[in-house]
């Protein structure tokens, strides 16, 4: 099967690398950013182009959500399968007379960060059983965690990911602002962060909750509020209110 990856960003890079490491041949990586494409091509030994899209059986579109529909229009071949990697878009956003699908890897991607691809869950949706099987088999060569998923369910998967990843990372950024303001090395907090994450491998997040809010320690909550202002204060109040509401305090 001839496979082409479209894109040059984080997802495109890691998808290409995951396939390469599993000896899944790629006919081409295609995109607009020649500098990034050249880097990927040199590292992974994959042909690239910015102006000529190779004929393929499967095109995997790895671009930002707002670009998926427009990019999908460059594929004019009818007898092929095209899948996007978005967590929030339906497969029908793809604009062409080809077979449409979704091939969603549930992970946060950065080119500088090594990943264990076999641990990344893949969620697959296609228009027919044959294409579904093709994509399930392909994902299973990369990952140990692969399942079918409708667009409706995938929307909730993506929403959960935003809470579990994007919001949490934003809290890390806010936490670092506080530690930086007091010249406290942020890496001193990394063991705490690691333990917090490791704990939920063994017990439910709801059971793992600690801190002044779940203890209903009003004195500490008020003390912390006095140390904060602006957005950080609003976040602190909102988070504590949510914790106390969950535990009916």
């Amino acid at each position: 099967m001839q496979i082409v990856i479209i894109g040059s960003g984080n997802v495109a890079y890691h998808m290409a690398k995951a396939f390469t490491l599993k000896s899944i041949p790629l006919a081409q990586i295609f995109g607009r950013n020649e500098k990034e494409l050249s880097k990927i091509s040199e590292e992974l030994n994959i042909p690239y182009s910015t102006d000529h899209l190779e004929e393929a059986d499967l095109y995997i579109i790895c671009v930002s959500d707002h670009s998926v529909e427009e990019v999908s229009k460059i594929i004019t071949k009818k007898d092929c399968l095209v899948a996007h990697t978005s967590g929030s878009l339906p497969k029908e956003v793809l604009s062409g007379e080809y077979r449409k699908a979704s091939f969603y890897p549930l992970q946060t991607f950065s080119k500088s960060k090594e990943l264990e691809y076999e641990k990344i869950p893949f969620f697959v949706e296609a228009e027919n059983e044959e294409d579904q099987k093709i994509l399930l088999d392909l994902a299973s060569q990369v990952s140990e965690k692969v399942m079918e998923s409708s667009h409706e369910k995938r929307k909730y998967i993506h929403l959960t990911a935003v809470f579990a990843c994007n919001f949490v990372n934003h809290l890390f950024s806010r936490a670092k602002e506080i530690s930086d303001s007091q010249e406290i090395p942020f890496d001193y907090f990394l063991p705490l962060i690691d333990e917090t994450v490791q704990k939920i491998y063994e017990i439910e997040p709801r059971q793992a909750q600690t801190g002044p809010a779940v203890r209903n320690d009003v004195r500490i909550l008020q003390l912390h509020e006095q140390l904060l202002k602006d957005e950080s204060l609003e976040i602190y109040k909102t988070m504590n209110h949510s914790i106390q509401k969950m535990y009916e305090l």
Side-chain angles (χ1 to χ4, degrees):
M1 182 170 62
Q2 293 287 298
I3 303 173
V4 167
I5 288 178
I6 299 178
S8 58
N10 294 329
V11 178
Y13 167 75
H14 279 288
M15 196 70 71
K17 187 172 181 179
F19 286 1
T20 300
L21 290 175
K22 296 297 181 179
S23 300
I24 301 170
L26 294 173
Q28 182 190 53
I29 183 162
F30 178 90
R32 294 180 302 178
N33 191 325
E34 183 161 12
K35 181 180 178 181
E36 292 302 316
L37 289 172
S38 177
K39 289 180 183 177
I40 297 171
S41 174
E42 183 176 351
E43 178 183 345
L44 303 177
N45 194 28
I46 302 168
Y48 81 91
S49 179
T50 60
D51 53 24
H52 172 69
L53 186 64
E54 288 286 350
E55 290 273 309
D57 305 299
L58 169 63
Y59 295 91
I60 302 178
I61 298 177
C62 307
V63 299
S64 59
D65 282 10
H66 70 270
S67 299
V68 169
E69 182 175 5
E70 190 63 30
V71 169
S72 72
K73 294 176 182 178
I74 68 175
I75 303 170
T76 56
K77 185 179 179 182
K78 296 181 180 181
D79 185 23
C80 68
L81 176 60
V82 179
H84 66 64
T85 55
S86 167
S88 59
L89 297 177
K91 60 184 182 301
E92 289 78 15
V93 74
L94 298 168
S95 183
E97 297 182 47
Y98 38 69
R99 305 181 323 271
K100 301 174 176 66
S102 170
F103 193 72
Y104 173 47
L106 178 60
Q107 187 53 275
T108 175
F109 295 100
S110 297
K111 287 180 181 176
S112 59
K113 180 69 171 63
E114 294 285 335
L115 292 172
E116 296 180 77
Y117 298 111
E118 64 274 7
K119 294 183 179 180
I120 298 176
F122 278 78
F123 298 91
V124 171
E125 180 186 15
E127 291 180 328
N128 59 65
E129 288 187 13
E130 183 178 349
D131 288 338
Q132 189 89 343
K133 185 177 185 306
I134 289 171
L135 293 177
L136 288 171
D137 288 347
L138 180 63
S140 295
Q141 293 181 60
V142 175
S143 172
E144 299 168 355
K145 298 181 178 181
V146 179
M147 66 178 288
E148 299 179 17
S149 175
S150 66
H151 174 235
E152 187 63 27
K153 180 170 286 188
R154 191 157 33 83
K155 286 190 293 185
Y156 284 95
I157 293 168
H158 190 244
L159 176 60
T160 304
V162 169
F163 270 79
C165 173
N166 305 132
F167 287 177
V168 171
N169 189 73
H170 180 67
L171 290 177
F172 291 155
S173 297
R174 288 296 184 182
K176 189 174 186 301
E177 286 180 348
I178 296 170
S179 68
D180 286 351
S181 73
Q182 299 302 310
E183 298 182 349
I184 304 167
F186 186 68
D187 60 8
Y188 278 39
F189 296 90
L190 296 182
L192 173 65
I193 292 169
D194 289 342
E195 177 61 21
T196 302
V197 173
Q198 287 301 317
K199 192 183 295 185
I200 62 173
Y201 277 79
E202 300 177 17
I203 58 178
E204 291 283 330
R206 198 176 191 280
Q207 296 174 326
Q209 188 69 53
T210 61
V214 76
R215 295 194 305 267
N216 199 24
D217 191 332
V218 176
R219 185 182 68 84
I220 295 297
L221 293 173
Q222 291 177 344
L223 173 63
H224 286 174
E225 288 178 10
Q226 293 171 10
L227 300 174
L228 296 167
K229 60 182 180 180
D230 301 328
E231 290 89 354
S232 292
L233 176 58
E234 291 305 311
I235 291 170
Y236 188 82
K237 288 181 176 180
T238 300
M239 293 296 293
N240 284 325
H241 176 72
S242 180
I243 291 169
Q244 293 186 318
K245 187 174 181 180
M246 176 175 282
Y247 294 92
E248 300 179 348
L249 298 173

